[in-house]
Amino acid sequence: MCVDRLLELLDRHGHTATFFVLGWIAERHPDLVRRVAAAGHEIASHGFGHRRITELTPDDFRESIRSSKATLEAIIADDVIGYRAPSFSIVRGGEWALDILIEEGYKYDSSLFPMKRNGYGYAGGERGPHWLDRPAGKLFEVPPTTLRRFGNNLPAAGGAYFRIFPYHVTKTAILEAERDGTPATFYVHPWEVDPDQPRLDVSAFTRLRHYGGLNRTRPRLERLLSQFEFSSIAETLSACREHD
């Protein structure tokens, strides 16, 4: 199973991570969620179903994050404090979702991708972890890592960008974050470590984005995990609180 491959990689290199889990998946595979938590990794919410925030009403969104949080907490018998929107879909004009996260007991968000791209992106957002002061209270924001070049933020945080762009892009972004004293945030999907997965008949662009470079994911992850130290977002939040 792909999740087990990731767990083995992380364990062998001595790192912890945050697993953003859909409530829909957790309901059907509770033992998988327990295995991840038992291995020392943070469990956080990815919402209940994989629907973009731009497709939800505020009430729909509240129900999604409330039910996913309750489902995950019942499985792991621990608090779930973090959230990441499917497809990083909290965009300009959708900040109302941040207030609902605070109202529902979340302590941090990792959805504001500080770049502009079709379908997602929070153009003009801060690039490093920071506190948001919202009408509902304070929320710690942990954006995916970008590389600042030519006056623009270039995506360097993982996913298709990690598989298709040169490895140097991600490595340079993390090194620059280290020099700035800022934690870099990297992500990978479990299916990205399975180069033999079935292929669907999709458009050329979707085929490139989803299947491009799958054979490079695991060796690049091995390289990344051997060069840098990684921990969960909850640990980053705890460290930031200690230095406040």
Side-chain angles (χ1 to χ4, degrees):
M1 183 182 287
C2 298
V3 172
D4 291 314
R5 294 178 190 175
L6 284 177
L7 290 176
E8 183 273 328
L9 274 171
L10 290 164
D11 179 65
R12 182 153 43 83
H13 288 278
H15 302 307
T16 57
T18 297
F19 282 70
F20 291 97
V21 184
L22 292 171
W24 188 91
I25 294 293
E27 272 193 343
R28 289 156 178 79
H29 303 281
D31 288 341
L32 175 62
V33 179
R34 291 190 192 98
R35 281 210 312 278
V36 173
H41 305 291
E42 179 192 7
I43 300 296
S45 172
H46 202 33
F48 197 84
H50 203 271
R51 292 182 63 192
R52 294 172 185 258
I53 308 309
T54 49
E55 300 172 354
L56 301 176
T57 67
D59 286 344
D60 289 339
F61 177 68
R62 187 183 298 276
E63 175 57 29
S64 172
I65 64 168
R66 178 182 290 174
S67 59
S68 65
K69 190 175 193 293
T71 299
L72 293 168
E73 289 179 342
I75 292 171
I76 65 172
D78 202 357
D79 293 336
V80 168
I81 64 171
Y83 174 78
R84 174 173 287 163
S87 302
F88 302 104
S89 54
I90 299 181
V91 298
R92 291 286 179 185
E95 292 88 351
W96 52 263
L98 301 170
D99 291 304
I100 295 176
L101 285 171
I102 296 168
E103 291 165 359
E104 293 298 322
Y106 288 85
K107 305 303 180 186
Y108 76 81
D109 172 67
S110 185
S111 307
L112 305 187
F113 211 145
M115 55 169 281
K116 182 60 179 173
R117 213 214 81 170
N118 238 358
Y120 69 78
Y122 196 76
E126 293 188 43
R127 294 176 58 220
H130 57 282
W131 288 97
L132 296 171
D133 287 309
R134 299 291 310 165
K138 295 188 72 170
L139 186 69
F140 193 58
E141 179 62 37
V142 188
T145 295
T146 54
L147 185 63
R148 186 72 177 173
R149 290 293 186 272
F150 317 113
N152 295 297
N153 294 339
L154 306 179
Y161 309 116
F162 183 63
R163 292 182 277 111
I164 297 170
F165 289 0
Y167 176 82
H168 178 75
V169 173
T170 298
K171 178 183 176 181
T172 300
I174 295 175
L175 286 172
E176 290 190 0
E178 281 187 343
R179 283 197 291 270
D180 293 339
T182 302
T185 302
F186 175 84
Y187 70 93
V188 64
H189 301 90
W191 55 262
E192 291 180 289
V193 297
D194 180 13
D196 300 319
Q197 62 190 260
R199 262 51 172 181
L200 301 178
D201 184 15
V202 292
S203 68
F205 175 76
T206 299
R207 187 163 56 250
L208 172 66
R209 180 171 58 85
H210 191 90
Y211 302 121
L214 284 176
N215 61 327
R216 291 192 285 267
T217 307
R218 183 162 186 141
R220 286 188 175 185
L221 269 178
E222 293 274 10
R223 187 176 174 187
L224 193 75
L225 293 172
S226 67
Q227 290 181 315
F228 300 99
E229 294 293 326
F230 292 93
S231 61
S232 70
I233 295 178
E235 291 177 79
T236 299
L237 173 57
S238 178
C240 287
R241 282 175 171 163
E242 289 174 5
H243 289 92
D244 282 349

